[in-house]
Amino acid sequence: MRRWNGWGDSNTVYPIPDEGRTFLADQIGRGATIADTPYEGLLSAVPSSRLEPDALVTPDPAVRLAHAHGQSLPDWIALRHGRLNCFPDGVAVPESEDQIRALLDIARARRFALIPYGGGTSVVGHVNPISGDRPVVTVALTRMNRLLDVDERSRLATIEAGATGPEVESQLAARGYTLGHFPQSFEASTLGGWIATRSTGQQSLHYGRIEGLFAGGHLETPAGPFDLPVFPASAAGPDLRHLVLGSEGRLGFVTRATVRVRRVPQDERFYAFFFRSWEEGVEAVRRTAQDFPTVSMLRLSDPVETETSLWLAGRPGLVRWARRGLSWAGYGRARCLLIAAHTGERAPVVRGSRVGGLPVGRPIGELWRRSRFRTPYLRNSLWEAGYALDTFETAVPWSQFRACRNAAIGALSTALEDENERVLAFAHLSHGYPDGASVYVTAVFRRTPDPDQTLERWKRLKTAATDAFVRCGGTVSHQHGVGRDHAGYLPEEKGRLGIESLAAAFRVFDPDGLMNPGKLLG
């Protein structure tokens, strides 16, 4: 059963070990247990629906509450403190494109807004209703989740957009194929959501980002149906797939997508390496990303993330080994952990000396692999222990990578100094490309009984990190999309003409402004 005010399945728990609690208390202070608002209290705050009765839309308060938010830290603060104050007036769960077309017709006639909803995993406000005079209907595509066709000669699969990561992979695996798209939200996020936000999977170095996997598809828009035919390549003007990719529901509903698939790999292994310093590890990742195509993932943790991960994993033996054995081998407090994956048919290069560093074999790599979709559950445990966690990410060329990471860590570490509060800030390098990589930064800080104060702390951290990214020439978002939280930074990245061209395109597909208002362009 899905957790109503946190991440993931309510039956899955990622406890903080006693050693981890001590570590956090030493780093930023002891967290305070703060009671959450009970479910019944928040449910009673759901207002009456403003919609006329309709067979396709339910006004049920519990369903509306479940679809009123994503997974951002502001969402969590609002949910846990009973501050969620904006709800859809109804929720529709269509089973076909015909039903989506009917919803669009009703929305146009009755002047209500529509929000596409996949897995509800957005961390930047994509799926949240915005207060206003117009009623809002959230449209969940969870029932449109089937594999429709596999063209085996072309290795193209057509899948309905509401399929979650496990549904995509299980249906393809039955035919011997994989999409290979594994974002951390894999368990709940959907194919349509990946396309709408230009998602990146953990093994994108081998399989590619979603823009490379998305070959074509179909949208239902307020202006009519929109088909994106599939070609291996085309010089027939601008590629309109890239108008859909990252459109965040502003054009219409992605209902099905044709994606490029591969045979399930004959061999896939995850390995761990240690480096004496962040700089040494970054250089090794750069070389490997540029030279070895069968390496599917390179994830390098900085010294603080390396240490924090070991403590919070609840494996004191690993900590003792890291401190004694690695220190004896010359890998001191600046040591960094690299998790690398090989995917393919040939003998893996990642286990050899060409990557560099100190190879420590498969056990740590396989441990990471087995727990990679469990890690987000740590957010629940941290919150209950009195801590808030959020992540901030960008991508920059290799020439700016070091400066960008240092600037973001420095900005986050000092952002709450005037409150005499410490922030545990750390980073990892992920998604290496030939020309650059993603800087993915995490901040852990103490929350307070006052939700406004906790939210203000988050805003200061968000601003500090994003400003640092922009100053260093990084993108405003490498994999989380724009939503509402990043919308204010988008004009600087796209420029005036870019913003105007996007707004004009949205007007063509959605002349009445029905689709996900307030997102992406504000």
Side-chain angles (χ1 to χ4, degrees):
M1 182 176 179
R2 189 165 180 177
R3 214 177 240 100
W4 73 271
N5 63 352
W7 179 266
D9 191 295
S10 58
N11 294 316
T12 300
V13 178
Y14 193 139
I16 304 173
D18 291 340
E19 300 90 347
R21 291 175 183 270
T22 301
F23 172 78
L24 290 171
D26 290 343
Q27 295 294 315
I28 56 177
R30 191 165 298 279
T33 301
I34 303 164
D36 291 333
T37 296
Y39 176 76
E40 293 74 18
L42 196 52
L43 184 62
S44 67
V46 179
S48 299
S49 174
R50 296 172 290 180
L51 293 171
E52 300 174 26
D54 188 276
L56 288 175
V57 181
T58 177
D60 182 86
V63 179
R64 291 162 59 200
L65 170 57
H67 292 83
H69 58 85
Q71 290 289 327
S72 72
L73 191 53
D75 289 334
W76 276 40
I77 294 169
L79 281 165
R80 300 277 190 151
H81 289 277
R83 294 289 191 90
L84 198 65
N85 56 16
C86 193
F87 303 84
D89 293 272
V91 176
V93 190
E95 299 180 359
S96 66
E97 290 171 355
D98 287 343
Q99 289 186 350
I100 289 179
R101 170 56 49 198
L103 284 166
L104 286 164
D105 291 341
I106 296 168
R108 185 185 306 105
R110 300 183 185 175
R111 299 291 299 168
F112 59 73
L114 298 167
I115 298 177
Y117 188 99
T121 60
S122 168
V123 294
V124 291
H126 289 112
V127 297
N128 300 56
I130 298 173
S131 297
D133 296 332
R134 271 197 304 180
V136 177
V137 171
T138 294
V139 182
L141 300 181
T142 49
R143 292 179 183 167
M144 298 178 64
N145 61 355
R146 298 170 299 161
L147 172 64
L148 301 176
D149 180 64
V150 176
D151 177 348
E152 301 217 19
R153 288 184 62 84
S154 307
R155 294 195 177 175
L156 295 168
T158 301
I159 308 170
E160 289 182 310
T164 63
E167 289 169 340
V168 168
E169 287 298 324
S170 64
Q171 292 181 86
L172 287 175
R175 304 284 292 270
Y177 293 97
T178 179
L179 181 62
H181 193 75
F182 303 112
Q184 195 170 60
S185 61
F186 172 80
E187 291 181 323
S189 57
T190 63
L191 175 59
W194 300 341
I195 293 166
T197 58
R198 297 186 78 99
S199 171
T200 305
Q202 291 170 340
Q203 293 174 255
S204 63
L205 187 59
H206 176 73
Y207 291 106
R209 290 168 56 95
I210 197 65
E211 58 258 42
L213 300 172
F214 177 51
H218 180 82
L219 279 76
E220 290 292 339
T221 83
F226 181 46
D227 283 304
L228 293 164
V230 176
F231 304 108
S234 172
D239 188 344
L240 295 180
R241 290 176 309 133
H242 288 276
L243 187 59
V244 175
L245 286 155
S247 57
E248 302 190 359
R250 293 299 302 266
L251 299 177
F253 296 92
V254 179
T255 59
R256 50 189 151 92
T258 299
V259 291
R260 300 179 174 99
V261 297
R262 301 177 186 232
R263 282 287 182 187
V264 173
Q266 293 181 4
D267 185 53
E268 186 163 74
R269 311 180 196 184
F270 285 67
Y271 297 84
F273 300 78
F274 279 95
F275 291 87
R276 289 185 172 86
S277 69
W278 173 252
E279 291 74 18
E280 181 186 15
V282 168
E283 183 60 18
V285 170
R286 182 191 64 79
R287 291 195 312 268
T288 307
Q290 291 173 339
D291 295 338
F292 298 121
T294 63
V295 176
S296 62
M297 191 190 79
L298 294 163
R299 180 189 173 106
L300 177 72
S301 295
D302 71 7
V304 178
E305 181 168 292
T306 298
E307 185 84 351
T308 303
S309 298
L310 292 174
W311 280 115
L312 295 183
R315 297 182 180 272
L318 274 179
V319 177
R320 288 193 295 270
W321 171 76
R323 287 195 162 180
R324 295 174 185 173
L326 289 176
S327 296
W328 179 83
Y331 290 76
R333 296 185 65 84
R335 58 182 169 262
C336 296
L337 173 65
L338 170 68
I339 302 295
H342 156 81
T343 301
E345 299 177 6
R346 291 179 289 177
V349 300
V350 293
R351 71 181 174 195
S353 60
R354 282 183 283 181
V355 171
L358 177 67
V360 292
R362 295 179 63 183
I364 294 177
E366 291 298 334
L367 174 64
W368 184 90
R369 178 193 204 176
R370 289 194 301 271
S371 64
R372 60 176 167 169
F373 303 130
R374 186 168 170 258
T375 303
Y377 288 88
L378 183 60
R379 289 181 70 195
N380 300 322
S381 302
L382 286 169
W383 181 275
E384 288 151 14
Y387 301 100
L389 177 151
D390 205 6
T391 58
F392 317 97
E393 43 85 37
T394 186
V396 291
W398 288 114
S399 56
Q400 282 117 274
F401 185 88
R402 183 187 303 179
C404 184
R405 176 262 179 189
N406 291 346
I409 292 294
L412 288 169
S413 298
T414 60
L416 304 182
E417 278 187 341
D418 61 349
E419 295 184 51
N420 293 318
E421 285 291 321
R422 291 171 286 167
V423 177
L424 179 61
F426 46 85
H428 65 254
L429 181 163
S430 61
H431 308 291
Y433 304 99
D435 54 344
S438 170
V439 182
Y440 196 97
V441 183
T442 299
V444 183
F445 62 101
R446 296 198 299 176
R447 64 190 189 94
T448 79
D450 180 356
D452 292 329
Q453 186 178 20
T454 302
L455 182 62
E456 182 59 30
R457 287 180 180 178
W458 171 82
K459 288 178 179 178
R460 294 172 69 179
L461 292 168
K462 180 75 171 178
T463 300
T466 310
D467 284 350
F469 293 154
V470 172
R471 285 196 305 271
C472 294
T475 177
V476 70
S477 178
H478 169 258
Q479 64 201 68
H480 288 167
V482 176
R484 296 187 68 190
D485 293 349
H486 294 153
Y489 290 91
L490 197 63
E492 186 165 349
E493 181 165 328
K494 300 297 184 187
R496 178 182 62 83
L497 286 176
I499 294 294
E500 290 178 1
S501 64
L502 286 174
F506 294 165
R507 286 193 295 272
V508 169
F509 286 89
D510 181 20
D512 297 314
L514 305 178
M515 295 302 308
N516 213 10
K519 314 302 167 50
L520 188 60
L521 297 187

